[in-house]
Structure formats: structure tokens, C-alpha cells
Amino acid sequence: MVSINRRQFLAAISATAFTSMGTPAHTAMANEELRVVVIGLNGIGRTHLEGFPLIPGVRVVGACDVDSAVLGTRAENFDKKFGYQLKTYDDLRRVYDDPNVDAVVLAVPNHWHGLGTVWGCQAGKDVYTEKPCSHNIWEAGQMEKAAQKYERIVQIGIQRRSFPHLQEFFREIREEGVLGKLKSVKGLYLARRSSIGKPEVTPKPLPTVNHDLWCGPGSTELERLRYHYDWHWFWDYGNAELGNNGPHILDLCRWVVGAEEFPTSVTSVGGRYAWDDNGQTPNTHILSYDYATAPITFEIRDLPTAEGKQDTCKYKGLSYGIVVEGEDATYLGFDTGKVIDNNGKTIREVTGDKGADGGRQLHRENFVKAVRSRKTSDLNCSVKTGHLSSALCHLGNISHQLGEPIALSSLPERVQDQPLIAEASQRMSEHLAANGVNTKSASVQLGRTLKIDPTKEIFPNDAAANQLLRREYRSPYIVPEQV
């Protein structure tokens, strides 16, 4: 296997040679079979493995996973469904070293998104990277630089950007004022989860997993009972519920107001309640972002409506989605939605073709279109677009991590000068009380209100916050300073 440094050197030579020769390879690719490998086969990776072969001119030629059991099962099922065997890889670096691969799909944990994308670009592969765009804000910049330097097509998996009906309706909101002047946008993710438990003894990695490679840039310490998925709730690998489902919701919020840069400030309120487990991230979270067009808030509740129930909370009939309040009307929706007047009467339904697999198939097709054309402008969710929406999650988490625990009972006084936060905090307190939390004695993490330079994408005069724009990397899994 080619070493990382050697591969970077060869990628640089390849990029130089390509530039000097013009674009004949890209022109030829438009009429050739596009050879794709899916990296990361649990959950969404499985659906990519089954979705890309349905696109004309695309052939999934391989599958890669650090868990040999998952890799074997997926490859076997693929053979049964599509009638041919995949080449299997146990290390994504072997995929990048393979000259018979044109594009890769990264359905790996968040902490691998940045490095996996940079390596893919350096190896001359086009890349479809799942959300969030990156594990931290600095990584996204490196991803964008790599895509530009090596002239690669990189799509971020925030797939509602490929819904034609939302493209058109959001344009009407911004350009035609169909809701009137915007007053506020609320994002919602109110989906019940369960506790991840607390290990009585130090867990051991699954025997089928290359644990060192799975951990990559992060720590090799294992603190979770369920190896796959529960990494979301540990800062070294995931980005909390905010970074898990937040990119989809916050992208809609940012898109609908036409915000093409960072907000000017962020505030966070939240904590982890009711569960006796060792998860590190909030299960109840409120975020506020200042934009000139309209303020954006986001509410996350992973607990049910009340203690002992197995249901999901709702706000104005939505468990997840956005509420866009204008002076003349309000939009409520997610994949589809409706417009109601100021009396609550439905005056318009917003529907359209979502394609298959929760909209991902339309997004895959858009990626393939851009790969064929070699135009980043054809992408519905480029690195830049995905970064701006994912960054809202990172900004909120930075505010939370730099916050201070205060008495929950004192929260109304502390946020009284922020009406939208105050309103959401009241709902949060009532929700926690219904779930058995003693709101008189409980504490809450009041995040630091962070001022942001939207152009430079930094926190002016805040060294502690700026330090959290990136992470410490574990060798040799280091996102390079110079891509």
C-alpha cells in the first residue's frame, strides 16, 4: 500500500500533469462507466450501496468497511441483489490507491469526513461525503481547498438541496415575499431517543473491527456499550444531536433566509437529562443564531412528552422541520409542508418529487451529473454550501462547551433580553419537568454568547473559542495544513 506522504506526492504530480494536458480525461468520462466505491457500510452507507447502481452509467465496483462482519454481509447481499461481486477493502487508503476507482462515497463517522475527503481529492477521486460536512470548522476549509486544488467534484449529503419544490418555494419566500417580511425561523428536531447506558467495565472493541483505523483522528479510548452509532454522543467522534440531524434542519433554516455566510453571533442553552449514562453531549438543546434577514433558533428534545412514555414531542404539529414566520403567513414543513395564514388556515400545500431513499437518490443523481460535467456549479450541495450549514452545528457546540452550569430556575432571568431563547427555554423547562427532572434543583449549561466575524469565520478576541475551531489529531490520521 502506498504511504500517505507518497500518495500526496503522486496526487500533486497527477494534478500538475492534468492541468498541463487540459481536460480530455474529463470529456471522456462523460461517456464512460463511472466506477464508485462506498466507504462505510452501516446505516446510510448501505442505502448508498443499493442506490448508486440504479443510476444509468454508474457501476458500484467496491465496498469498504473496517468491520469485516459488516463488509462481508453487505457484499454478500449486494451480490444477491445485483448479480455480481464487489471488490472489498478493509482500509479506505487501499481504495484511494486503486486506479480503477473514479469516485468514492464517504458514509463514515463524522471524525473521518475531513481527512477522508482530503485524501480522496489528493488521490484524484470525486467524493460524495455524508453530513455533517466536517467534524470541525477548520477541516471544511481544508476540504474546500483540496477540491479546488485537485479539481475534484465534492458533494455533501444534505439531500433536500436536490428537491425541486423546495428550491422553487424557498426562492419565492426570498425573492417574492410570499410570506411577507420574515420575522423568525425556528428549526425543530423533537425525536425521542433512549439512554445509551453506562458500562460497568471498560468495553472492548468488536473482534471484527480494526479499532485503530475506526478511531482514526480521534482517541482510541472506548466508553460506549454499543460500538456502532453511539459514537455520535462523544465529542471525539460525533457532534451531538446538533451535528447528527442538525445539518438537515439548519440547512433549511439558512437556505430559506438566503444566508450565505456565518451568523454574527450564537447562543446555546442545554444539557443531558433523565438518562443515567456516560454520553457527553446534550439531549436537550436550544440554539440561537443572529442573521440580518431573520433570527434562527433551533430546538432539540430527545426525551418523550412525559416520563414513561414512548412518544415524540411536537411543536405546531411538527416533530422535525422548520417554522418560517412571516408578517403575512407562516410556513411549516420538512420534506414537504404547508403555508397557513395568520388565522391558522391552510392556504397552500408545498409538495413535490422527493425521489427515493428520503431524497438521497435525487442527490446521488445530482452528484453524478456534476461528475460528468466537471462543473462544481452543477452541485446542489458543494463543500461550501455544506460547510455553512454544518458550521451552525459546530458554532452551537462551541458555545455549549464554553458555557457555565447555572441553576435551571435562574434561566428565565439570564435570558430575558433574548425573547426567542426565553420562549424556547420555557418550553424546555416544562418538558423537563414532565420527564421527572426536578427543575428547582437541576442545572443547565448556559452557553457563552459568541460574537462571530462572518467573513473571517472566527471569534474576534476570543482565544478559547477560536481554539475549538479545530481539533488535535492522532498520528498518522492528520488533516494536513497544506493540502
Side-chain angles (χ1 to χ4, degrees):
M1 181 173 61
V2 179
S3 69
I4 297 171
N5 290 336
R6 175 68 172 162
R7 179 168 57 254
Q8 292 171 356
F9 174 72
L10 291 176
I13 293 176
S14 175
T16 302
F18 174 79
T19 301
S20 67
M21 293 174 63
T23 59
H26 292 336
T27 302
M29 185 177 290
N31 299 312
E32 293 176 355
E33 185 176 67
L34 181 66
R35 301 164 298 181
V36 174
V37 171
V38 179
I39 303 172
L41 305 175
N42 264 315
I44 301 305
R46 177 187 59 79
T47 72
H48 285 309
L49 199 63
E50 297 177 355
F52 270 97
L54 304 180
I55 303 174
V58 175
R59 184 175 180 85
V60 174
V61 296
C64 176
D65 203 281
V66 297
D67 188 330
S68 60
V70 173
L71 179 60
T73 298
R74 297 288 186 259
E76 180 181 354
N77 290 342
F78 185 93
D79 189 3
K80 292 178 180 178
K81 184 167 185 175
F82 294 100
Y84 67 92
Q85 291 186 342
L86 295 170
K87 183 174 182 178
T88 56
Y89 309 79
D90 59 6
D91 187 326
L92 79 172
R93 290 168 293 190
R94 298 185 187 277
V95 179
Y96 295 150
D97 285 337
D98 192 335
N100 297 312
V101 176
D102 303 312
V104 299
V105 181
L106 284 173
V108 292
N110 302 4
H111 65 296
W112 262 108
H113 290 186
L115 185 57
T117 300
V118 169
W119 279 358
C121 291
Q122 290 176 327
K125 316 300 184 189
D126 296 312
V127 186
Y128 182 117
T129 302
E130 266 301 337
K131 56 78 193 168
C133 176
S134 60
H135 186 257
N136 60 64
I137 288 172
W138 176 79
E139 282 182 356
Q142 301 305 94
M143 294 165 65
E144 190 170 14
K145 290 175 185 176
Q148 292 173 351
K149 180 176 180 178
Y150 299 103
E151 299 182 319
R152 295 296 93 197
I153 299 298
V154 180
Q155 173 98 297
I156 305 302
I158 301 177
Q159 66 267 15
R160 283 160 193 85
R161 286 274 171 168
S162 289
F163 288 7
H165 58 285
L166 292 187
Q167 293 170 0
E168 174 58 23
F169 180 62
F170 287 1
R171 184 198 63 77
E172 290 181 33
I173 291 176
R174 294 190 308 270
E175 298 178 13
E176 299 177 17
V178 295
L179 302 181
K181 183 179 179 180
L182 297 184
K183 297 166 62 177
S184 70
V185 180
K186 291 183 176 71
L188 306 164
Y189 190 77
L190 316 176
R192 182 185 59 82
R193 292 191 184 276
S194 300
S195 168
I196 66 170
K198 183 181 294 184
E200 295 181 1
V201 297
T202 302
K204 295 182 179 180
L206 296 173
T208 55
V209 172
N210 181 336
H211 183 63
D212 181 82
L213 186 56
W214 186 96
C215 294
S219 166
T220 58
E221 185 176 1
L222 185 59
E223 302 176 79
R224 59 192 185 275
L225 290 170
R226 186 170 60 159
Y227 191 91
H228 294 304
Y229 198 81
D230 282 350
W231 51 265
H232 280 289
W233 325 126
F234 294 86
W235 295 118
D236 233 16
Y237 321 109
N239 302 99
E241 191 72 85
L242 179 56
N244 184 27
N245 282 290
H248 292 304
I249 310 296
L250 285 169
D251 181 70
L252 296 176
C253 294
R254 186 180 67 79
W255 187 12
V256 78
V257 301
E260 295 302 322
E261 60 181 11
F262 277 25
T264 54
S265 73
V266 60
T267 301
S268 163
V269 174
R272 195 172 185 88
Y273 298 97
W275 300 337
D276 182 21
D277 66 15
N278 64 339
Q280 298 172 343
T281 63
N283 64 11
T284 301
H285 212 173
I286 300 169
L287 295 308
S288 175
Y289 306 91
D290 284 335
Y291 280 106
T293 306
I296 292 173
T297 56
F298 186 33
E299 297 180 44
I300 294 171
R301 298 180 216 155
D302 284 348
L303 302 176
T305 58
E307 187 176 16
K309 292 193 174 183
Q310 302 294 313
D311 58 358
T312 295
C313 297
K314 291 184 184 296
Y315 175 81
K316 293 186 181 297
L318 291 176
S319 288
Y320 40 83
I322 62 173
V323 177
V324 186
E325 185 180 3
E327 290 185 343
D328 300 333
T330 297
Y331 169 73
L332 303 98
F334 186 46
D335 290 348
T336 59
K338 63 181 180 180
V339 179
I340 60 174
D341 64 19
N342 291 333
N343 295 316
K345 180 182 177 181
T346 298
I347 57 176
R348 178 175 175 180
E349 298 285 348
V350 180
T351 62
D353 180 19
K354 299 183 294 182
D357 190 21
R360 293 185 188 89
Q361 195 64 10
L362 290 176
H363 212 48
R364 296 177 188 119
E365 292 169 359
N366 174 249
F367 171 65
V368 171
K369 173 186 176 182
V371 168
R372 300 291 193 198
S373 72
R374 308 311 305 168
K375 295 179 181 178
T376 298
S377 59
D378 280 344
L379 287 172
N380 287 334
C381 194
S382 66
V383 176
K384 183 66 173 179
T385 299
H387 161 54
L388 287 173
S389 296
S390 299
L392 295 180
C393 306
H394 301 320
L395 293 170
N397 281 331
I398 292 172
S399 171
H400 175 81
Q401 290 173 295
L402 292 177
E404 60 171 334
I406 65 169
L408 180 59
S409 59
S410 71
L411 184 60
E413 180 182 356
R414 296 291 295 269
V415 298
Q416 61 182 336
D417 60 338
Q418 302 179 71
L420 293 176
I421 285 281
E423 175 194 343
S425 294
Q426 179 63 35
R427 286 194 293 273
M428 180 188 75
S429 295
E430 294 171 356
H431 174 241
L432 292 177
N435 275 278
V437 176
N438 187 332
T439 55
K440 294 182 179 180
S441 62
S443 65
V444 66
Q445 185 86 343
L446 178 60
R448 185 189 297 180
T449 296
L450 299 171
K451 300 299 181 182
I452 303 166
D453 183 324
T455 303
K456 296 181 179 179
E457 299 186 353
I458 61 172
F459 306 101
N461 305 313
D462 195 330
N466 286 324
Q467 190 173 4
L468 295 178
L469 290 172
R470 60 185 296 173
R471 69 175 302 163
E472 292 293 326
Y473 292 91
R474 187 174 67 91
S475 181
Y477 309 104
I478 301 173
V479 177
E481 295 281 346
Q482 301 295 325
V483 299

